[in-house]
Amino acid sequence: MTATTTAPLATTPVRTVKQPSARLRAWAARGPLLPALVFMIVVTQLPFVATLVISFFDWNSLYPKARRFTGVDNYRQVLTDTDLRHSVWTTVLLTVAVVLASLVFGLALALLLDRRFRGRGVVRTLLIAPFLVVPVAAALLWKHVLYNPEYGLFNGLLHYVGGPQPDWISHTPLLAVEASLVWQWTPFMMLILLAGLQSRDQQQIEAARIDGASDWQIFRHLTLPHLRRYLELGALLGSIYIVQNFDAVFTITSGGLGTANLPYTVYQTFYQAHENGLASAAGVLVVIGSIIITTFALRVVSSLFREEASRA
């Protein structure tokens, strides 16, 4: 009987591959975004920093060598000057009126489009169209096609029924600007609220109908609370734009008749009075106000995303 011996197996060394660190992987993921980040900083942040620096100087472009550092005097003048304070009040009034009216009309149209009827797709497309019009073109349309006292559509209809022929822009200048902005921003509010209506829990609504709830009770106790976040989002996003609106005021009234808002006042101060420092200070205040509103808007958007994620 012979004994067999087995030779030990040769073991090959195992090479360990060093994994990249978490920080290196993070930078590799962010690398493709760096050119866009640099471009955004150059295009947006550097001009804002330059505007911020100029806002601390008494700088008239007609006398460039006479500029001097004045600290916060320009900001003090913006907040105490009668014309500038009136422009701030006009901006607030214009923003509140346009946003509230757009939300009311947008909610009514969203409730209409939430129902099924023949031609709903065509109606939805036609209702969205005003929001797709270029702002300057929309303002020109209202100024010449609708408001013109001689050949405008409004006075044409009033002439047909034997009514008066008012000069809409001269008699109601701020209302004329507000109407054009409401017409343009109602479709935007409608889209946001329609998305909110279509995300409702239909089983909950059907259960309420079975229990005998009326349409008004369903709207008051189920639909409206569900749309609260969407109403807030629409109000905040609309406010961001209306606060910075320049096109409608410049095109329809040229800032006259008490319609000059803060962006138009910045334009007047910079291009007509040539006060670079004062205009920069007013512009910085507009940016700060927009940032505050944007912060609330981002919080609302993040809360909506969390709610949708929790439902999924």
Side-chain angles (χ1 to χ4, degrees), residues 34-66:
L34 287 179
L37 179 62
V38 172
F39 177 79
M40 184 186 67
I41 292 175
V42 171
V43 172
T44 61
Q45 303 307 311
L46 291 183
F48 177 72
V49 172
T51 303
L52 185 63
V53 172
I54 295 173
S55 68
F56 294 108
F57 285 83
D58 181 7
W59 189 341
N60 191 300
S61 60
L62 298 179
Y63 308 98
K65 295 182 179 180

Side-chain angles (χ1 to χ4, degrees), residues 28-306:
R30 297 169 184 167
L33 300 177
L34 287 179
L37 179 62
V38 172
F39 177 79
M40 184 186 67
I41 292 175
V42 171
V43 172
T44 61
Q45 303 307 311
L46 291 183
F48 177 72
V49 172
T51 303
L52 185 63
V53 172
I54 295 173
S55 68
F56 294 108
F57 285 83
D58 181 7
W59 189 341
N60 191 300
S61 60
L62 298 179
Y63 308 98
K65 295 182 179 180
R67 63 178 179 269
R68 58 188 179 87
F69 180 79
T70 58
V72 296
D73 287 349
N74 287 326
Y75 293 94
R76 189 179 296 111
Q77 185 175 350
V78 169
L79 297 175
T80 56
D81 184 78
T82 304
D83 293 335
L84 290 173
R85 280 190 301 175
H86 183 267
S87 67
V88 172
W89 169 247
T90 302
T91 303
V92 173
L93 186 61
L94 185 67
T95 302
V96 172
V98 171
V99 169
L100 289 180
S102 300
L103 282 174
V104 171
F105 291 127
L107 178 60
L109 293 175
L111 291 172
L112 174 64
L113 293 178
D114 191 51
R115 301 176 178 272
R116 294 185 178 275
F117 58 89
R118 181 175 297 179
R120 185 174 64 168
V122 177
V123 174
R124 183 182 302 177
T125 303
L126 292 176
L127 290 177
I128 295 173
F131 185 66
L132 305 178
V133 179
V134 178
V136 175
L140 288 173
L141 176 68
W142 278 78
K143 181 178 182 179
H144 295 290
V145 178
L146 299 177
Y147 289 146
N148 191 281
E150 297 181 0
Y151 54 81
L153 180 61
F154 288 161
N155 282 359
L157 294 175
L158 290 174
H159 177 73
Y160 181 76
V161 298
Q165 302 289 299
D167 189 345
W168 298 92
I169 298 177
S170 298
H171 293 169
T172 55
L174 190 59
L175 184 61
V177 176
E178 291 170 352
S180 66
L181 291 174
V182 169
W183 175 79
Q184 193 169 17
W185 275 90
T186 295
F188 177 78
M189 304 298 184
M190 179 195 70
L191 289 177
I192 292 179
L193 297 177
L194 183 60
L197 288 174
Q198 294 180 349
S199 65
R200 291 177 300 174
D201 188 356
Q202 297 298 326
Q203 294 180 352
Q204 188 180 20
I205 295 176
E206 290 299 328
R209 292 188 186 279
I210 293 174
D211 291 339
S214 63
D215 291 339
W216 169 248
Q217 291 174 330
I218 292 175
F219 174 77
R220 180 182 177 184
H221 298 288
L222 295 179
T223 303
L224 203 57
H226 174 76
L227 290 178
R228 184 177 66 87
R229 291 291 185 183
Y230 296 90
L231 290 168
E232 293 175 356
L233 179 61
L236 291 170
L237 293 178
S239 299
I240 292 172
Y241 176 82
I242 303 301
V243 165
Q244 305 176 10
N245 181 264
F246 174 81
D247 309 85
V249 175
F250 177 79
T251 304
I252 296 176
T253 62
S254 297
L257 303 174
T259 60
N261 57 351
L262 194 53
Y264 188 85
T265 303
V266 173
Y267 161 78
Q268 281 185 317
T269 306
F270 188 85
Y271 285 102
Q272 297 180 7
H274 305 284
E275 292 289 348
N276 296 351
L278 191 61
S280 299
V284 169
L285 292 179
V286 174
V287 172
I288 292 175
S290 301
I291 290 175
I292 294 174
I293 298 174
T294 305
T295 302
F296 287 104
L298 291 176
R299 289 184 179 180
V300 173
V301 171
S302 62
S303 66
L304 282 175
F305 285 155
R306 286 195 298 268

